[in-house]
Amino acid sequence: MASDERPIVDWVNFPEGIPTFSLWDALHDGDLLSIESDLLARTVTLRFDVDYVRDFHHLPEGTQFVIIVNGVRSVRSLRSVPWPGGCPIPPGTPNEQQSIIISEYHRKWREESQSWTDFERLTSDPYGLEVSVANLGLGPDAVALQLGLLVARDSYVEAYIRGEGITFYAGEKQATLEEFVALGEAYWEAFADRGKRQ
C-alpha cells in the first residue's frame, strides 16, 4: 500500500477513532414507526414512539422522537434468521438455565444481508420494530448510526446509516444530542429512585 493511501475501514462499523454515544436511554424499548429515505435530499428520517418517555415528560399523545441523518453516504441492513424449531425451554427450568438455553439458541442464528427497501417495509409489521440497541458515532464530518431492532418478537435486524450530520426532534421541537438523550435519562433516573424507595 502506498504511504498516502488510507486503509479501508468496513463501513458497517463506526469510522475509526470517532467518539460513540449510546442513545439507549432515549430509545430503548421504543417502536420504530417509520423510515423515510429521500435519495435526492440524501436524508434518512427515523420516527420513534417511546411512550414511557413521552408520558413521563407529559408530552402530547402522539409525540414522536425523530432522528434525521443528513448527507447520507450509505445504508445497510442485516437480519438474523432464527434457527428452525424455535427455542424449546422445558417447564420449570430455572432462570439461570433458561438464559443459557436462549444464548445457545441465538448463537445458531445466521446473519443475512437484506435490501434497505425490505428493511423499510418492516415498519408495517403488526408487532412493530422494537429498539434494543441504538448507538451513534459522531465525528467532525461524519456520523454513523447503528440500530438493533426486534422484529415480530422472534427475529432481529441491524441497521447502519452513515452520513455527514444528524438532527434530533422531540415532537416539533429540535433538540441537541444531549437534550435528546437527557429526556430518557430523566425517566431512568426517576425509575431507579422509585426502586430504591420500595
Side-chain angles (χ1 to χ4, degrees), residues 14 23 46 67 69 135-137 143-147 159-161 166:
F14 294 142
L23 304 179
L46 306 158
I67 297 176
V69 182
N135 293 309
L136 175 67
V143 299
L145 181 65
Q146 174 203 23
L147 293 174
Y160 300 87
I161 306 170
I166 193 162

Side-chain angles (χ1 to χ4, degrees), residues 84-100:
C87 182
I89 298 177
T93 303
N95 288 341
E96 187 176 316
Q97 188 64 30
Q98 286 184 34
S99 296
I100 293 169

